[in-house]
Amino acid sequence: MKTLKIQLTSIADVQKFVNAVTRFNGDVDLQSGRYLVDAKSIMGIFSLDLTQPVDMLVHSDNADELLKDIEAFIVK
């Protein structure tokens, strides 16, 4: 499992992020505080506090393609 921080600042960012994550076969969750949602759910993502970076939990060891697709959203 990999955990990293991402930042989604606009509706367009959320749409691009969900499109990329939906193409990934594994499970991906987003966590903000004590809230955990499926990263493939637009409604779930909008229920989080997106004013701050959120934790992305990738439940796979082979996520290189996904990480490449969402590189613009990763907080460095």
Side-chain angles (χ1 to χ4, degrees):
M1 181 169 87
K2 293 184 184 219
T3 302
L4 30 108
K5 294 255 187 218
I6 63 161
Q7 178 76 54
L8 303 170
T9 57
S10 69
I11 293 170
D13 284 353
V14 173
Q15 290 174 329
K16 290 176 190 173
F17 176 80
V18 169
N19 287 339
V21 173
T22 301
R23 290 190 299 269
F24 180 66
N25 288 332
D27 290 330
V28 181
D29 295 317
L30 293 180
Q31 183 174 10
S32 177
R34 63 184 178 107
Y35 297 101
L36 184 72
V37 298
D38 184 350
K40 295 178 182 181
S41 167
I42 289 178
M43 294 303 290
I45 293 173
F46 281 122
S47 72
L48 299 175
D49 177 12
L50 297 178
T51 62
Q52 300 293 323
V54 295
D55 292 322
M56 181 177 79
L57 302 113
V58 181
H59 303 279
S60 173
D61 292 328
N62 189 12
D64 295 335
E65 187 69 29
L66 171 65
L67 297 180
K68 185 176 130 193
D69 288 346
I70 63 162
E71 183 177 15
F73 307 117
I74 298 173
V75 176
K76 298 180 184 185

